[in-house]
Each structure stands twice: as C-alpha cells, then as structure tokens.
Amino acid sequence: MSKNNAVDDLHIIERIANFQNMDQFKTAMDGFLSTLGFDCWAYTVKMPDSFNGSSFDIIHTWNQEFVDRYRDIHAFHCPRLKHLWQSEVPLIYDKKFTDNDLKLLRHQPVKVKAVIEEIIDFGYHGHGFSLTTHGKHGDKGVLTLQNRDKRKDGIDAISLSFHFASAFFPLMHMKYIELKGWRPPGSLFPLTERELECLRWAADGKTAWETGMVLNVSERTVNFHMANAQKKLMASNKIQAVARAILYNLL
Amino acid sequence: MSKNNAVDDLHIIERIANFQNMDQFKTAMDGFLSTLGFDCWAYTVKMPDSFNGSSFDIIHTWNQEFVDRYRDIHAFHCPRLKHLWQSEVPLIYDKKFTDNDLKLLRHQPVKVKAVIEEIIDFGYHGHGFSLTTHGKHGDKGVLTLQNRDKRKDGIDAISLSFHFASAFFPLMHMKYIELKGWRPPGSLFPLTERELECLRWAADGKTAWETGMVLNVSERTVNFHMANAQKKLMASNKIQAVARAILYNLL
DNA sequence: ATCGGCCCTGTAATTTCTTACAGGTAGCAT
DNA sequence: ATGCTACCTGTAAGAAATTACAGGGCCGAT
C-alpha cells in the first residue's frame, strides 16, 4: 500500500483507468492483492446476458478442485453468500463468523444445510473478507481475500486491506468489465432523446396513446419511436426493449 | 477512526446494521464524519419513484444558500458530476482536479460552462472527495467530504478517510434507505416463483404463448400468473410489471 | 377437515401492440 | 445542393395483451 496518501490514490485511480488490456489488468490485480499479504484471493464476475442466464468469470488463486466443487454444489444457495451477492454488506471471515454460520445452520432446510456444511468443511475458513460491487449494467463483482494459513495473524491486519480494497475494487471491476468488452445484448446503437422518453413512459405503464398525450404527439409517432428503439436494442417487443433499456441503465 | 482493526470493522458493521431510527443514524453519521476531520460534508440520496421522476434527500453541513443555488443551476449537468452519479469512480478534489476541470471548460458549450464556472466560483474548491454508491433498488448515494479551510493540510490526510469512507459509506446508505422506509412503488407483496419466471421470460421478449412452451403450461396459465404479478406490483400492464420487477431487483 | 395459497385451464370481447405500406418537415454538415 | 438524422403522421391487418366470465387439483396449516 506504499505511502498511503491522496496523491497515491489519484495515481492508482488513473492507473486503473489507463489499463489497455487484460494482461496489464491481471498483472496489476496480482500486484495489488499480493502486497496486501493474503494467501489467496478470488475475483468473481457476473454478467447478465439476459434475465434467464448470466455468464460468470472467476479469476482465483484457490485450487481448481475447490472452485469446481464450489460451483457444482451451488454454494451460492448458502444464505450468507446469497446475501453477499445481493447486497453491499461485506463478509468478514473470522472465528465469530464461522460460529454464527454454524448457529444459522440449525434453521436451514436439509439440502441447504448439507451444502453449507460442505463449504465450511472444504474451505470456508481462514481469515479475510469478501466485498461486493454492483456495476452499472447489472454486472456484479465479488472479491474475496483470505488467509488460510492459521499461523499468520490475519485478523488484525485485515482492516487496512479491507478499507483499501473497498476503495479500489469497484474501479478494478469497472475496468474489468470494460476490458472484457462485455455489453448487455443490444446496446450498440445510441438511442435518441425521443426514443428514451417513449421508453421511460412505457416503463411507467403508459400506453402509446397516453405517451402521445404527454409528449404532445400522435399515438402513431410514439409507436414509430418505440419501433426504432426496439430495432436499436435488438428487442423482439416493447417489453424486452424496456427491460434492456433499464438493464443498460439508459432510463 | 480509533484502533482501525478488523474487530472494529465488525463492530462498525454491526452498529450500522442495528440503527433503529433516523436520529441514531444521523448522530452516528455526524460522529463518523467529524472524526475524519473535515470541515463539511454532504450526503445526497436519490430514490427513483418511477422512470420519470425521483425524490432527493440532502443532508449537509454546507450553508443552505450554496446547496439551493447548486440545485437551482442544475449543477449535475457538469460532466464530472454527472459521471460521478453514474459511475463508481470517486472524485478527489485537489489542485490538480480544479486545473483539469478548468482545462475541460474550454470544450464545453456555453451553458454548461457558465454552470461549472459558477460552481467552482461559489464553492467547488477545498480538498476532499466524493464517493458514489449504488443501492439495489435504483437508489444512489453520494457522499462528499471537504476541507474548505486552506490552512488545514487536507490533501495528505485524505487517504485514510477515503479508504475508511469507501468501506462504510455503502452500508450507511443501505441503512438510510431502510430507515427512510423507501420502497420502489408496488413492492409490498412477495411474488411467487412462477410469477417471477413469467416476468423473466417476458423481460427476455417472450410472448405468453412462448413462455407457456418453455414452462410447459398453457398460454392461459402464463397470462394468469402475469395478471397476478401485475396486481401485486400495482402495475397497469405487463411492461410496467416487468420494469418494476427489474427496478426492485426481483429478476 | 376446512381454509387458504399456489398452480393450472378454458372462452370471449376489447384494447393495445406490431408491422407493413405510405408520406412530409427541419436542421446540420460536406 | 445534397445527404443525413431526427422528428413527425396516416391507414390497415394481424398478433398479442388485457379483462371479464368460469372452473378444478394439490398441499400445508389451524
């Protein structure tokens, strides 16, 4: 973390903003994280390609066996992990955390219980934390840093790393999404102001006729703009057009 | 910031989670921020009530005159501030920042230029930073911390505060939204699994008949679930139902 | 055992959307 | 001037959604 002052921060922000390719990104990621002094880290990215399916990337220094198993048993059914993905509340792993989780186990259905037990058993220990960041386009990232090595006095060293990672992980994630070139499907063509207005009113439940009243144009014109928006968003109907516009944060 | 270790962090997270009312929240906010040693701070919250209008809250220690003027001249038209609201890239205010902004001025339309000049003139200086956080339901928060007092050596003290605020501001914001009791309209009744499935497929542009094929039920049944979802979401049609479900992060 | 919630299905009238055809205006840039 | 873009409007046929009417089955809880 070097000198840890605001000039450094500006420098880091600029550095992240200027990564040109994925190699630079990954090298820097490695650099940042290894200086934080953890045994292992994982960065998981979720990119929603539709409302019925998402693609995931996982970059990690865990052993592959664990990650595969983790995915196969649908570990994200564990309530705490589910919550991690949905909220911005970080998880801090320590003794107390594990105790709490074991307590929660009693109130879980058998299926979920088995999953959680296996996760804890397999590798859900070690000191560290998980952070979630929510991107603009429905994309999410989770960063996990852990010390498996019990001999290391991780718990007291976590804090600075936690704060530091909180500050820069959202930026790293944004840059990753950008470099990855991922876009929600059908976001290539810029929408005009009129098209956006029509989409907005449609999202608020207005019919084409009502939108026409609001915008002081004919119903026909609203349908015209809506049809153009649909083409640009590669949507098969108004509903998908609105859904994509929202997902892509256009409204 | 006291001892600054992980036990403290857990404590802070729990404390934030346990605020019972707005008074406790505001007192704590004051406490956190005043210990960071800045002259003044502002916390701005945006809650989208529909796609055509949002409500804003501003809690601040600026002088009211500035805040009013800031709102009246639509300061958020300033590109940097617009970007701040849309992205998660923080702004760090220092000499370099102001210089950059003045440089950018040359390429701006006259209207925007006038706005920016007035902001800089009126109060857009001082050392500090602005942070953005994106909530789950389309809500956003921006936290700004500044030292107006030029005699204070702000720039080198910013970093720790910046990291600390990055870590806990998202949680504060989540809690604020919760305490405020704000919900996107029509999110009171829990949707069933079937209703969610129908909404998801609709959001992906499928017609009721197509969704029926996918779910292996009749078109009529899909319309039945969709109608129930519409009632629960208080939506006047399928489009608004889908839009609200997305906004409320249900899909 | 009864009630309520969730799931499922049918018919039919009406409204809205979607897509095809057709056309015209205004402003801006090379 | 010419082309490009955004904007606007009309008609009409067919597809889809919306809203009413109607009904039955399964399961878990009081």
Side-chain angles (χ1 to χ4, degrees):
Chain A
M1 273 181 288
S2 77
K3 285 182 300 176
N4 212 354
N5 62 36
V7 177
D8 269 1
D9 286 345
L10 270 176
H11 173 244
I12 293 175
I13 291 175
E14 269 183 35
R15 243 187 92 196
I16 294 176
N18 288 329
F19 291 144
Q20 297 298 322
N21 57 56
M22 203 53 102
D23 281 342
Q24 277 179 28
F25 177 89
K26 285 182 181 170
T27 307
M29 186 95 169
D30 252 338
F32 281 135
L33 296 182
S34 63
T35 58
L36 294 180
F38 288 90
D39 290 333
C40 45
W41 56 268
Y43 169 42
T44 309
V45 187
K46 179 187 177 187
M47 294 156 287
D49 296 313
S50 72
F51 291 93
N52 284 282
S54 300
S55 43
F56 286 85
D57 284 354
I58 307 183
I59 308 175
H60 64 93
T61 60
W62 261 261
N63 62 68
Q64 189 62 40
E65 188 195 355
F66 173 59
V67 173
D68 289 344
R69 184 65 188 149
Y70 188 90
R71 193 192 53 235
D72 291 344
I73 63 179
H74 300 287
F76 42 80
H77 283 111
C78 166
R80 292 287 290 267
L81 294 180
K82 214 169 173 178
H83 188 242
L84 174 66
W85 275 97
Q86 289 185 343
S87 78
E88 305 210 22
V89 179
L91 282 184
I92 297 190
Y93 309 113
D94 66 345
K95 184 69 174 62
K96 193 174 165 199
F97 165 77
T98 310
D99 288 349
N100 275 340
D101 249 21
L102 288 172
K103 235 183 277 172
L104 280 171
L105 270 182
R106 279 191 287 255
H107 309 292
Q108 293 302 325
V110 181
K111 255 192 191 173
V112 178
K113 202 167 159 176
V115 169
I116 302 177
E117 270 170 349
E118 173 161 350
I119 299 173
I120 293 181
D121 215 42
F122 199 99
Y124 201 41
H125 41 55
H127 289 155
F129 56 87
S130 287
L131 285 178
T132 306
T133 186
H134 296 252
K136 281 189 297 179
H137 311 317
D139 54 296
K140 297 177 184 180
V142 169
L143 177 69
T144 300
L145 298 179
Q146 276 196 341
N147 262 333
R148 291 291 180 74
D149 189 344
K150 294 278 170 75
R151 289 163 308 175
K152 290 196 182 178
D153 188 18
I155 191 67
D156 285 328
I158 287 178
S159 214
L160 281 175
S161 304
F162 172 54
H163 298 174
F164 179 82
S166 296
F168 297 108
F169 174 52
L171 306 188
M172 300 285 281
H173 174 72
M174 275 183 60
K175 196 61 190 182
Y176 179 86
I177 293 288
E178 183 192 324
L179 287 175
K180 177 89 181 175
W182 177 82
R183 291 285 137 100
S187 58
L188 299 173
F189 307 104
L191 298 173
T192 69
E193 196 45 52
R194 252 346 193 198
E195 283 155 4
L196 288 173
E197 283 179 301
C198 291
L199 286 168
R200 265 191 286 267
W201 288 111
D204 280 342
K206 300 283 178 284
T207 66
W209 182 84
E210 290 169 322
T211 302
M213 288 295 100
V214 175
L215 299 182
N216 200 31
V217 295
S218 75
E219 176 184 354
R220 178 65 191 86
T221 303
V222 176
N223 282 326
F224 166 79
H225 290 304
M226 196 60 78
N228 288 335
Q230 282 178 39
K231 273 176 222 151
K232 288 184 183 175
L233 293 165
M234 292 188 278
S236 52
N237 59 32
K238 213 165 154 176
I239 302 176
Q240 192 177 19
V242 168
R244 285 198 165 158
I246 298 172
L247 185 63
Y248 200 48
N249 217 26
L250 301 171
L251 302 193
Chain B
M1 272 183 285
S2 79
K3 284 182 302 177
N4 211 352
N5 62 37
V7 176
D8 269 0
D9 287 345
L10 271 175
H11 173 244
I12 294 175
I13 291 175
E14 270 182 35
R15 243 187 92 197
I16 294 176
N18 288 329
F19 292 143
Q20 296 298 321
N21 57 57
M22 203 54 99
D23 281 342
Q24 278 180 29
F25 177 90
K26 284 182 181 168
T27 307
M29 186 96 168
D30 252 338
F32 280 134
L33 297 182
S34 64
T35 59
L36 294 180
F38 287 90
D39 290 333
C40 45
W41 55 268
Y43 169 42
T44 308
V45 188
K46 180 188 177 188
M47 294 157 288
D49 297 314
S50 72
F51 291 92
N52 283 284
S54 301
S55 42
F56 286 86
D57 284 354
I58 306 183
I59 309 175
H60 64 92
T61 60
W62 261 257
N63 61 70
Q64 188 62 41
E65 188 197 355
F66 173 58
V67 173
D68 288 345
R69 184 65 188 149
Y70 188 89
R71 194 192 53 234
D72 291 345
I73 62 177
H74 301 288
F76 42 80
H77 282 112
C78 165
R80 292 289 291 264
L81 295 179
K82 213 168 173 179
H83 189 242
L84 174 66
W85 275 98
Q86 288 185 346
S87 78
E88 305 209 21
V89 179
L91 282 186
I92 297 189
Y93 308 115
D94 67 345
K95 185 70 174 59
K96 194 174 166 200
F97 166 77
T98 310
D99 287 349
N100 275 341
D101 250 20
L102 287 172
K103 234 182 280 171
L104 280 172
L105 270 180
R106 278 191 287 254
H107 308 294
Q108 294 302 326
V110 182
K111 255 191 191 175
V112 178
K113 202 167 159 175
V115 168
I116 301 176
E117 271 170 347
E118 174 160 350
I119 298 174
I120 292 180
D121 214 43
F122 200 98
Y124 201 43
H125 41 56
H127 289 156
F129 56 87
S130 287
L131 286 177
T132 306
T133 185
H134 296 252
K136 280 189 297 179
H137 311 317
D139 52 296
K140 297 178 185 179
V142 169
L143 177 69
T144 299
L145 298 179
Q146 276 196 344
N147 264 332
R148 292 289 181 76
D149 188 344
K150 293 279 171 77
R151 289 163 308 176
K152 288 196 182 179
D153 187 18
I155 191 67
D156 285 328
I158 286 178
S159 213
L160 281 175
S161 304
F162 172 54
H163 297 173
F164 180 83
S166 296
F168 298 109
F169 174 52
L171 306 188
M172 300 286 280
H173 174 72
M174 275 184 60
K175 196 62 191 182
Y176 179 85
I177 293 288
E178 183 190 324
L179 288 175
K180 178 90 181 174
W182 176 82
R183 289 286 138 100
S187 58
L188 299 172
F189 307 104
L191 298 173
T192 69
E193 195 44 53
R194 248 353 190 196
E195 284 156 4
L196 288 173
E197 282 179 300
C198 291
L199 286 168
R200 264 190 286 266
W201 287 112
D204 279 343
K206 300 283 179 283
T207 67
W209 183 85
E210 289 169 324
T211 303
M213 290 294 101
V214 174
L215 300 182
N216 201 31
V217 295
S218 74
E219 177 185 354
R220 178 65 190 84
T221 303
V222 175
N223 282 326
F224 167 79
H225 290 305
M226 197 59 78
N228 288 335
Q230 282 179 40
K231 275 178 221 153
K232 288 184 183 175
L233 293 166
M234 292 189 280
S236 52
N237 60 32
K238 212 163 153 175
I239 301 175
Q240 192 177 20
V242 168
R244 285 197 165 158
I246 298 171
L247 185 63
Y248 199 47
N249 215 27
L250 301 171
L251 302 192

